[in-house]
Amino acid sequence: MRRPFICGNWKMNKDRESALSLVRGILLGITPELGERVDIGVAPPFVYLPIVSAVIEGTPVKLSAQDVFWEKEGAFTGEVSPYMLKDLGCTYCIVGHSERRIYFGETDEHVNKKVKALLEACITPIVCVGEKLEEREEGRVFEVVSQQVKGALNSVEISSGEELVIAYEPVWAIGTGKVATPEIAQEVHSYIRSLLKETIGDVAEKVRILYGGSVKPDNIAGLIEQPDIDGALVGGASLKAESFCEIIKVAGGM
Ligand code: PGA
């Protein structure tokens, strides 16, 4: 049984005060029972990681970064290493988000280096994959996703499967309000699971595969009941404590 995982990706939003009030609001909305049923993460911008980390310490809410650089230290102006993230208490780190691929030229090779560096630092990578609208229209969904998953995991050692999370985020569904239907998402999730089996073997059953793209309180139920959808990476709806907590409750069956 895979425990559901809901992670909020705040992207480049919030300031010090509103980041603190969001995370405090989330903590108020999460009962200990819910924290037992669902793994919960928040991914604030780098600069707010320390203040959010201090507030969530000892609670069921875990810290995620939105990106990382693969080197341990050195002359890499503007970059942040996995060890710095670990130092701040990060449990997870998003890599290969489509916004990074599109605006910052991130490639599967970069994602692969980041995954390896994160695993070495004992941080769970949340590897984002997903096709663009034109790729779906050309019937290339499996081809694109396969290249991204295999590229990200190229010569990566996975031992238990729990140390890896994949997020399927069709680019056409991100921030657009156009959520993939549960059936469309399940089709790709099950394909990703079969790819994982080929790549890392039976531990693929332990890897959580999240769906991302316009997840809201009113569409999470249909998604989470699918056999290969193990949670969600939530953008817009994670910026308000009320909607984020509602998504977590539904995912926890409460
Ligand atoms: P969205 O973003 O929920 O606002 O569509 C999801 C994501 O980009 O992770």
Side-chain angles (χ1 to χ4, degrees):
M1 241 324 246
R2 295 177 293 268
R3 194 147 68 150
F5 176 33
I6 303 290
C7 187
N9 175 9
W10 297 2
K11 307 192 179 182
M12 199 175 72
N13 291 296
K14 303 292 171 188
D15 56 19
R16 184 202 293 261
E17 277 314 306
S18 56
L20 283 173
S21 78
L22 173 56
V23 73
R24 287 184 187 129
I26 293 169
L27 291 177
L28 284 175
I30 289 166
T31 59
E33 196 191 350
L34 193 54
E36 288 284 308
R37 290 178 178 224
V38 184
D39 284 345
I40 303 160
V42 289
F46 280 135
V47 289
Y48 302 128
L49 286 171
I51 55 169
V52 172
S53 181
V55 176
I56 64 180
E57 204 184 331
T59 77
V61 178
K62 302 295 173 219
L63 194 64
S64 176
Q66 298 177 14
D67 189 28
V68 68
F69 187 57
W70 54 79
E71 293 289 346
K72 285 194 177 113
E73 60 181 6
F76 303 102
T77 303
E79 294 300 325
V80 173
S81 83
Y83 295 90
M84 294 170 181
L85 297 182
K86 193 74 195 168
D87 199 20
L88 291 178
C90 285
T91 303
Y92 305 100
C93 180
I94 298 168
V95 283
H97 191 280
S98 63
E99 286 149 17
R100 296 221 54 89
R101 294 180 192 258
I102 293 165
Y103 303 133
F104 304 100
E106 191 150 313
T107 64
D108 291 331
E109 201 189 347
H110 296 152
V111 175
N112 181 243
K113 287 184 175 172
K114 292 179 180 190
V115 168
K116 286 178 182 158
L118 287 168
L119 289 172
E120 207 187 305
C122 297
I123 296 173
T124 300
I126 303 173
V127 180
C128 300
V129 300
E131 81 286 358
K132 296 183 184 138
L133 182 61
E134 62 268 26
E135 291 165 338
R136 175 162 284 272
E137 286 170 351
E138 289 160 11
R140 297 174 50 222
V141 176
F142 287 0
E143 180 200 325
V144 169
V145 166
S146 159
Q147 196 179 324
Q148 290 172 336
V149 170
K150 287 184 177 160
L153 299 182
N154 186 21
S155 58
V156 169
E157 296 266 341
I158 296 294
S159 50
S160 79
E162 279 162 8
E163 77 273 46
L164 174 68
V165 174
I166 306 279
Y168 169 59
E169 301 206 303
V171 178
W172 47 270
I174 297 179
T176 57
K178 285 187 204 147
V179 63
T181 63
E183 294 71 28
I184 288 181
Q186 166 58 26
E187 186 187 29
V188 184
H189 280 235
S190 129
Y191 175 68
I192 292 173
R193 181 99 47 214
S194 68
L195 276 177
L196 290 174
K197 276 189 194 142
E198 272 173 38
T199 330
I200 58 171
D202 287 344
V203 291
E205 287 299 333
K206 293 269 178 65
V207 176
R208 261 90 58 91
I209 308 178
L210 313 183
Y211 169 80
S214 298
V215 172
K216 303 272 177 311
D218 63 6
N219 59 31
I220 182 67
L223 292 160
I224 200 76
E225 71 185 25
Q226 300 297 317
D228 289 293
I229 300 184
D230 307 314
L233 185 54
V234 186
S238 75
L239 296 175
K240 291 211 167 81
E242 204 184 13
S243 46
F244 188 57
C245 289
E246 190 53 37
I247 291 170
I248 298 167
K249 280 184 200 145
V250 176
M254 294 179 77

